[in-house]
Amino acid sequence: MTIRIAPSILSADFTKLGEEVAMCEAGGADWFHIDVMDGQFVPNLTFGAKVIEAVRSRTSLPLDVHLMVVEPEKYFDSFAKAGASTLTIHAEAAPHLHRQLNRIRELGCAAGVALNPATPLSAISEIIPEIDLLLIMSVNPGFGGQEFISYATDKVRRARLMLDESDSNAALEVDGGINRDTIRLVWEAGADTFVAGNAIFSARDPQAEIGKLRAQCGVLV
Ligand code: DX5
Ligand code: ZN
């Protein structure tokens, strides 16, 4: 059974980003999650290709890039070139999802779609074959350290059914408020990929926390 822990570098100490990346890798991180925000789609501004490139220079693990931006296609080429492995765009910001996902794949990246808490799963029902990753937001995007929205768990359960019914192998990822208490809920609901920012980087022992999160998921009884 797949369990991927993806530390979100948004919560890392940027004065020592290289060390933070190495620490997460030593702790058993599977992917790195990189939150790109443009101050328009979300009320916060973060970083772009330079930071993707910097993380890429320190790890060969997959870089899971989450674009919280309007007109995401403007960034596909530069992010792919910077070393992104997956480019995940928001359905709410991408009116031509079919074309945009195909362009991401043409660039050699995996194509992901993210859904805000208020966006129904039906937003992607017609294009499941084009999706390599479905990201269910369990907070309203924009900031790390927010509280998990509990009804995201049922959305994950329905997303699992939807993907299975379509014979999709897409990763099912959850992002926002994931910690030792919440990870088990969404894992049981069928998620396989878990973003965690605050839970890892604010832990007393961030390196060990990655394993602690993974240990919360286990064999279903
Ligand atoms: C929220 C971002 C998240 C964020 C998660 O807008 O998309 O990836 O970094 O942070 P935590 O785990 O602290 O909720
Ligand atoms: Zn994110």
Side-chain angles (χ1 to χ4, degrees):
M1 177 133 332
T2 307
I3 300 170
R4 298 186 198 96
I5 308 290
S8 166
I9 63 154
L10 184 61
S11 297
D13 180 343
F14 273 73
T15 63
K16 49 174 191 170
L17 185 57
E19 288 164 48
E20 298 277 68
V21 168
M23 177 274 292
C24 289
E25 202 166 329
D30 298 280
W31 291 0
F32 283 97
H33 185 82
I34 302 183
D35 287 308
V36 176
M37 305 184 190
D38 67 352
Q40 290 192 70
F41 181 67
V42 288
N44 194 11
L45 197 58
T46 57
F47 35 70
K50 287 289 281 182
V51 168
I52 298 171
E53 205 177 286
V55 177
R56 174 48 75 219
S57 73
R58 296 301 181 105
T59 182
S60 54
L61 289 178
L63 302 186
D64 172 36
V65 180
H66 178 191
L67 287 83
M68 286 161 276
V69 304
V70 298
E71 300 185 75
E73 61 278 4
K74 288 202 292 197
Y75 306 97
F76 292 169
D77 289 66
S78 61
F79 286 8
K81 198 161 163 234
S85 308
T86 302
L87 296 177
T88 297
I89 58 179
H90 270 263
E92 304 84 0
H96 306 291
L97 264 181
H98 182 272
R99 182 167 70 214
Q100 288 156 308
L101 295 173
N102 278 293
R103 177 66 188 143
I104 291 172
R105 284 173 160 182
E106 268 172 27
L107 289 167
C109 295
V113 179
L115 301 178
N116 280 339
T119 304
L121 289 170
S122 59
I124 51 106
S125 60
E126 306 300 327
I127 48 149
I128 292 175
E130 317 298 330
I131 295 179
D132 298 309
L133 178 147
L134 175 59
L135 171 52
I136 304 295
M137 291 305 302
S138 41
V139 296
N140 288 294
F143 303 92
Q146 302 183 78
E147 197 177 326
F148 179 81
I149 296 174
S150 61
Y151 56 77
T153 306
D154 189 59
K155 193 174 185 182
V156 170
R157 187 170 295 117
R158 286 179 283 117
R160 177 80 274 156
L161 287 173
M162 202 170 167
L163 293 176
D164 288 351
E165 277 168 10
S166 303
D167 287 326
S168 167
N169 290 322
L172 181 53
E173 182 175 46
V174 189
D175 183 7
I178 294 297
N179 55 36
R180 287 191 217 175
D181 296 327
T182 55
I183 192 168
R184 172 95 193 173
L185 302 173
V186 284
W187 181 76
E188 281 179 356
D192 50 40
T193 306
F194 309 92
V195 176
N198 193 54
I200 292 174
F201 291 100
S202 298
R204 202 172 304 152
D205 182 348
Q207 185 170 326
E209 195 62 24
I210 296 169
K212 299 239 164 74
L213 289 170
R214 190 189 307 281
Q216 294 297 108
C217 313
V219 181
L220 286 172
V221 285

